[in-house]
Amino acid sequence: MEPSVLRAGLSAGLPEYMVPSAFVVLGSFPLSPSGKLDRRGLPAPEITGVSEYEAPVTPDEALLCRLFGELTGAARVSVTESFFALGGHSLLVMRLVARVRAERGVELPLRSVFAHPSARALAVALSQAGSTRLGAVIAGSGFDDEGGAVLSLGQERLWSLSQLEAVPSGQYNIPMGLRLTGDLDVGALGAALECLVDRHAVLRTVIDAPDGIARGRVLPRGSFGSVLEEVDLRGSGGVPEREAEALSVLLAFARRPFDLACDVRLRALLVYVGPEEALLGLVADHGSFDGSSFAVFGAELSALYDAARSEFAGDLGSALAPLEWQFGDWAAWQRGWLDAGGLEAGLEYWEDHLSGAPHILELPTDYVRRADRARIAGYHDVVIAPEVRSGLEALALLHGTTLYGVLLAGLGFVLSGLTRQDEVVIGSPSAGRVQEGSEALLGFFVNTLALRLAPGFASDLGDYLEQVGGTVRDGLEHESAPFEQVVERVGVERSLSHAPVFQVMFAWQSQGGGSLGLGDLDIAGIDLPLGQAKFDLSVSLAPDADGSIRGVLEYDGDLFTSVTISRWCDVLGSVLEQFANAANAAELCSLGSLRLASDIEVECLSGFNATSCAVEVGVLPDLLSDRAVLDAGSPAVVFGDDALSYGELEARSNALGRYLIGLGVGPDAVVGIALPRSFEMVIALVGVLKAGGAYLPLDPDYPEDRLRYMLGDSGADVVISRSDVLERLGLGGIDTIPIPPQTQTHYPIPILLQTLTDPSVIPTHILCVDDAGLSAALADQETARISNVERVAPLRPEHLAYVIYTSGSTGRPKGVGNTHRGAINLVAANEQGFDVKPGDRVLQFAAQSFDVSFWEIFNTVLNGGTLVLPG
């Protein structure tokens, strides 16, 4: 049956994105040894697209149809076929632009390919494209007669980072592990590897810096020792022991750092574990190798190995076509282009793009974010089913973006939900191979893009996907600006506790790893993890031959547990499934309708939040005053041998509340309380609430810098403390200044006002509870219940009750507030598990800077219990 007939029949009952792009006739299905379908054994289809064929008419259409086919592997391309429907992606878009530049000498904008993905539509844009400004890479321009080589800005950056390391590490190694089964020709493998090093000068480029400035130097061909090392374990122990030892040897080999001043940038280790079985470790230095280099490396090593076993053995170099130019030539071109104005334009874009963006992703960590942590890496596999991938691809075509863009959007949405940040910045590598001929080279072309996503400001999924697509396209058009210079231009604060600009990396390995074949050997991959995480999270995904998407999430094990990461991976999978389902929806869903929680989690949360009794609505001061009327003579607080009754607590807190109102304290005004456990501490907490303000607990034992930061960040205008605490914090001995007349209210009271010496700390009023003048002023206050009429503004349930700061695991503490409604709900919820009754004694154990202290104190005094303060 003709493919057109099959396609027509399927189109009658299936949406367009589910109609196959190719049909393959098989005599039988390939099966695995267990009798299951061997998906990897299926032959590669001949891609022809889903549109009926229409031949090109103009020269531009013919050029584009030819390039579409060459880049995607499609056998025949119609002028109406979408480049992305044929399998195009962001990297291929860049190669398409490079091919057009090389063949026509014009600069086709990247966004034109996304906006006009068919050859017919893109031909119109091509006819309007202007002449290219990039210029050509000139062979030999990156080298001098004395062996010197121009280094790229990326190579310089990695060298600079290596100089900062106290102990050299292999964190920028790129390891590849292979299991080889069969009759291996070790001599041919060694010769092929050495020929690769000879062929690509970047693998022989070392870095000298006698005056502190990095300079490249190319080692002469054949001047280095053997690239291939060998270890024979065939006579040691049983099979399990040999396997374990071999893997241990390979891991140590993979993590061994390169000496950038003298080492060849590629090395290999062959570990024999059986008569016809060996493990091969290949390690390249990132300064000479990137993700797109894998395909080049695999193809060339395969060809050279075969050649070394044939008539080319005497002249392996002739087995491959000569290179047009070397990586050093591209480095010279890069510097020349940037010096000619390309750099400034790119830096201006990134400065504007990142202006106002959050530079720290507030992910909830399981452990404290220490600057000196080891950053031990953990790994979690990620698998996205074929049917989900199909839906995501359909969604991408629907909104003029790529599968990469949809996956990036899904990750950004999850991170926004986990951090509760409307905007997130995610790093993503860009191939950087914008010049024709670069696809044939090994080298460090890759750059990093800092992509700013705003899920919180998108109206619906379609709006969000188009926003992400635009961000990706703009980023690719300005990818030539080196990331390290972007960091300097943006001026973000450097910290050893987190990476600058972004802390999550997303890599889409659409370029493929290349096919490596060594004669008739059976080859299987082996993971060789480096063991150290460069970022908080690194998500690396790639399309798989079985139609799924597979990859790994690398995480900083000194920040997160495996349980947390497993749950986050489930969340990401769930969100992507919801994205895929949206491709068939009649109407686009709102982002707010997408769930981060699983069905089981939603059920648990619903049960936890189900209340068996009505929650009292109101504000805390009224409830506290109501309790004081009921239990006026009963002990509210006990400290040592002394007791404070409910009546006394009511009177003294009302007096303090009126005093604070006189200072201008009202709803949502933050008042810091730096007091140890004491009657005064409890009175201060209640007094702030009576005034209508929100209290900020300041643990006197905290470091002075942290307390000052919390005061400044919170905007607290008043601090209640004690003289000995102030002395310990370096705030004692400050002159007392009379309160300016314009700040007095209708309460004619003298107010103790002290001004902090540090101008970065906002509070202007410090109240010393052991000051005689303050005691006298409070004694003059009315002690009756405070009404809303007396407050600066009416107090309502949605106003803040307290603000508590987190531990600062992301580098700085973060203030989190709770309203009166939320605080009352908290007390009511805890009553279900811990019902405090009048007369019950409750130990106030938690530090007041922990939110559980609110429950201990107010669950007790709101229910007539007695709060016991430990001495």
Side-chain angles (χ1 to χ4, degrees):
M1 186 177 293
E2 289 297 320
S4 59
V5 177
L6 285 171
R7 185 172 290 115
L10 292 173
S11 298
L14 294 175
E16 182 180 353
Y17 78 89
M18 294 186 70
V19 177
S21 300
F23 297 90
V24 179
V25 178
L26 297 177
S28 62
F29 287 109
L31 301 178
S32 67
S34 61
K36 297 181 179 180
L37 176 64
D38 181 6
R39 295 179 180 272
R40 297 179 187 274
L42 292 170
E46 185 178 87
I47 304 296
T48 58
V50 299
S51 299
E52 291 300 326
Y53 179 73
E54 289 188 37
V57 176
T58 68
D60 284 344
E61 289 179 354
L63 169 67
L64 292 171
C65 284
R66 175 171 61 82
L67 295 180
F68 280 19
E70 291 176 359
L71 292 172
T72 66
R76 189 174 63 169
V77 178
S78 169
V79 290
T80 60
E81 192 68 64
S82 167
F83 181 67
F84 302 106
L86 293 170
H89 47 73
S90 299
L91 176 58
L92 288 183
V93 169
M94 297 177 67
R95 291 181 60 184
L96 174 64
V97 170
R99 294 286 296 275
V100 170
R101 182 189 306 120
E103 297 201 24
R104 287 292 173 85
V106 297
E107 195 65 35
L108 183 65
L110 280 169
R111 62 177 50 253
S112 294
V113 184
F114 289 94
H116 311 290
S118 72
R120 174 170 291 168
L122 191 58
V124 176
L126 178 58
S127 66
Q128 301 169 352
S131 299
T132 182
R133 295 178 292 109
L134 286 179
V137 176
I138 301 174
S141 60
F143 305 90
D144 60 32
D145 296 336
E146 298 177 353
V150 177
L151 297 175
S152 72
L153 296 178
Q155 287 177 307
E156 272 193 2
R157 176 168 63 89
L158 292 187
W159 176 84
S160 298
L161 291 174
S162 72
Q163 302 306 298
L164 298 177
E165 295 179 331
V167 178
S169 74
Q171 66 171 319
Y172 290 104
N173 289 1
I174 298 182
M176 297 161 274
L178 302 171
R179 180 180 295 276
L180 308 179
T181 305
D183 185 15
L184 172 66
D185 188 332
V186 180
L189 176 62
L193 288 169
E194 290 174 20
C195 185
L196 265 174
V197 176
D198 275 338
R199 175 177 171 82
H200 295 274
V202 69
L203 297 177
R204 294 180 282 117
T205 300
V206 298
I207 299 178
D208 297 326
D211 52 0
I213 300 175
R215 292 184 175 85
R217 175 171 56 84
V218 181
L219 299 176
R221 292 173 180 261
S223 65
F224 46 89
S226 176
V227 175
L228 180 63
E229 304 173 29
E230 298 177 62
V231 172
D232 194 345
L233 298 180
R234 284 173 290 194
S236 60
V239 173
E241 291 78 9
R242 286 200 303 271
E243 290 285 339
E245 185 178 357
L247 185 58
S248 176
V249 169
L250 283 180
L251 283 173
F253 179 75
R255 297 171 182 178
R256 192 175 80 199
F258 284 90
D259 186 337
L260 302 184
C262 60
D263 285 350
V264 170
R265 299 302 195 257
L266 175 70
R267 58 172 182 255
L269 174 64
L270 189 64
V271 183
Y272 301 100
V273 293
E276 287 193 341
E277 191 162 9
L279 305 185
L280 176 63
L282 298 161
V283 186
D285 172 52
H286 196 11
S288 304
F289 205 96
D290 59 15
S292 297
S293 297
F294 280 102
V296 179
F297 179 83
E300 293 194 352
L301 182 60
S302 301
L304 291 171
Y305 178 81
D306 289 342
R309 304 173 70 203
S310 67
E311 66 273 12
F312 288 101
D315 182 18
L316 283 185
S318 62
L320 297 172
L323 298 173
E324 297 179 26
W325 39 270
Q326 294 279 347
F327 181 79
D329 300 323
W330 178 85
W333 169 88
Q334 178 198 43
R335 290 179 178 276
W337 185 76
L338 294 177
D339 289 345
L343 176 61
E344 184 58 29
L347 291 179
E348 286 180 0
Y349 166 78
W350 289 109
E351 182 178 24
D352 180 68
H353 174 66
L354 296 172
S355 176
H359 292 152
I360 299 178
L361 200 62
E362 301 279 0
L363 284 168
T365 61
D366 296 306
Y367 307 114
V368 175
R369 183 184 292 272
R370 295 171 54 91
D372 60 348
R373 65 187 186 276
R375 292 175 170 82
I376 301 299
Y379 303 91
H380 193 284
D381 291 336
V382 179
V383 180
I384 299 169
E387 59 271 20
V388 176
R389 174 182 170 180
S390 296
L392 297 176
E393 289 174 334
L395 194 64
L397 288 174
L398 184 63
H399 294 283
T401 185
T402 62
L403 181 56
Y404 160 80
V406 175
L407 293 169
L408 176 66
L411 177 61
F413 177 77
V414 170
L415 294 176
S416 175
L418 293 175
T419 60
R420 297 186 178 183
Q421 291 173 272
D422 289 329
E423 294 185 296
V424 297
V425 179
I426 301 175
S428 189
S430 170
R433 297 180 180 242
V434 298
Q435 286 285 10
E436 179 70 8
S438 59
E439 70 280 356
L441 290 177
L442 302 180
F444 183 42
F445 294 90
V446 70
N447 192 19
T448 302
L449 309 182
L451 303 174
R452 179 181 185 177
L453 311 183
F457 299 126
S459 58
D460 57 35
L461 179 56
D463 174 46
Y464 177 47
L465 290 174
E466 289 170 12
Q467 171 209 120
V468 173
T471 298
V472 171
R473 291 190 290 271
D474 289 342
L476 289 174
E477 287 189 349
H478 297 89
E479 62 134 15
S480 297
F483 176 69
E484 193 64 23
Q485 297 197 31
V486 170
V487 174
E488 297 297 330
R489 183 63 166 261
V490 174
V492 298
E493 181 180 349
R494 297 278 192 163
S495 172
L496 294 176
S497 68
H498 57 78
V501 182
F502 63 85
Q503 294 80 50
V504 174
M505 174 71 82
F506 174 62
W508 173 239
Q509 309 292 355
S510 58
Q511 71 274 8
S515 57
L516 175 63
L518 301 177
D520 55 0
L521 292 175
D522 289 332
I523 302 176
I526 301 173
D527 289 332
L528 294 177
L530 292 177
Q532 188 176 42
K534 298 182 181 68
F535 302 96
D536 291 2
L537 303 175
S538 295
V539 183
S540 180
L541 301 176
D544 196 74
D546 66 0
S548 66
I549 296 172
R550 296 178 181 270
V552 66
L553 190 156
E554 178 189 273
Y555 62 94
D556 187 337
D558 290 318
L559 292 180
F560 311 105
T561 65
S562 60
V563 174
T564 293
I565 296 302
S566 177
R567 185 172 65 82
W568 288 357
C569 285
D570 290 343
V571 169
L572 177 60
S574 174
V575 166
L576 292 176
E577 284 186 29
Q578 294 173 72
F579 274 25
N581 292 336
N584 287 327
E587 296 182 2
L588 288 172
C589 61
S590 67
L591 289 183
S593 68
L594 299 175
R595 288 191 341 205
L596 293 178
S598 66
D599 292 338
I600 295 177
E601 289 174 322
V602 170
E603 184 178 346
C604 291
L605 290 172
S606 299
F608 178 78
N609 287 321
T611 55
S612 57
C613 61
V615 175
E616 190 167 3
V617 178
V619 292
L620 288 168
D622 291 345
L623 299 181
L624 291 165
S625 293
D626 291 344
R627 174 54 62 180
V629 172
L630 295 175
D631 299 297
S634 300
V637 187
V638 171
F639 186 49
D641 296 331
D642 297 324
L644 184 71
S645 70
Y646 274 93
E648 292 171 322
L649 176 60
E650 172 75 358
R652 293 179 64 176
S653 64
N654 285 339
L656 177 59
R658 286 190 169 87
Y659 186 85
L660 293 172
I661 291 173
L663 288 177
V665 174
D668 291 338
V670 178
V671 177
I673 298 178
L675 290 169
R677 289 190 183 92
S678 58
F679 290 148
E680 289 79 10
M681 180 196 78
V682 179
I683 292 168
L685 297 177
V686 177
V688 171
L689 294 173
K690 292 294 186 70
Y695 70 81
L696 166 65
L698 300 165
D699 193 325
D701 293 328
Y702 276 180
E704 178 184 343
D705 288 346
R706 177 184 172 95
L707 293 175
R708 286 180 175 271
Y709 170 77
M710 292 163 62
L711 286 171
D713 184 67
S714 67
D717 195 49
V718 179
V719 174
I720 304 174
S721 189
R722 206 169 64 184
S723 57
D724 61 326
V725 176
L726 292 174
E727 289 290 344
R728 190 162 62 251
L729 298 180
L731 300 176
I734 303 173
D735 293 337
T736 300
I737 306 172
I739 185 170
Q742 61 269 25
T743 64
Q744 295 190 23
T745 67
H746 56 281
Y747 298 105
I749 57 174
I751 295 178
L752 181 67
L753 175 66
Q754 294 180 312
T755 303
L756 297 176
T757 55
D758 184 352
S760 68
V761 180
I762 298 175
T764 55
H765 308 294
I766 298 181
L767 280 60
C768 293
V769 297
D770 54 346
D771 180 83
L774 178 62
S775 299
L778 292 176
D780 290 338
Q781 301 302 307
E782 296 181 23
T783 59
R785 181 172 184 154
I786 299 176
S787 68
N788 262 338
V789 175
E790 298 177 80
R791 295 188 177 108
V792 173
L795 181 63
R796 306 189 187 285
E798 60 269 19
H799 286 134
L800 281 177
Y802 61 88
V803 176
I804 287 181
Y805 273 73
T806 64
S807 61
S809 60
T810 57
R812 291 198 172 192
K814 181 179 179 181
V816 180
N818 198 1
T819 64
H820 285 261
R821 177 179 284 114
I824 293 171
N825 286 348
L826 178 63
V827 171
N830 278 289
E831 286 178 7
Q832 307 306 307
F834 182 29
D835 187 11
V836 176
K837 300 180 294 296
D840 287 348
R841 293 167 64 89
V842 179
L843 179 66
Q844 201 281 292
F845 179 78
Q848 60 169 308
S849 55
F850 289 177
D851 55 0
V852 72
S853 68
F854 171 86
W855 174 79
E856 290 177 342
I857 296 170
F858 290 95
N859 191 35
T860 303
V861 298
L862 284 172
N863 289 290
T866 299
L867 185 70
V868 179
L869 302 178

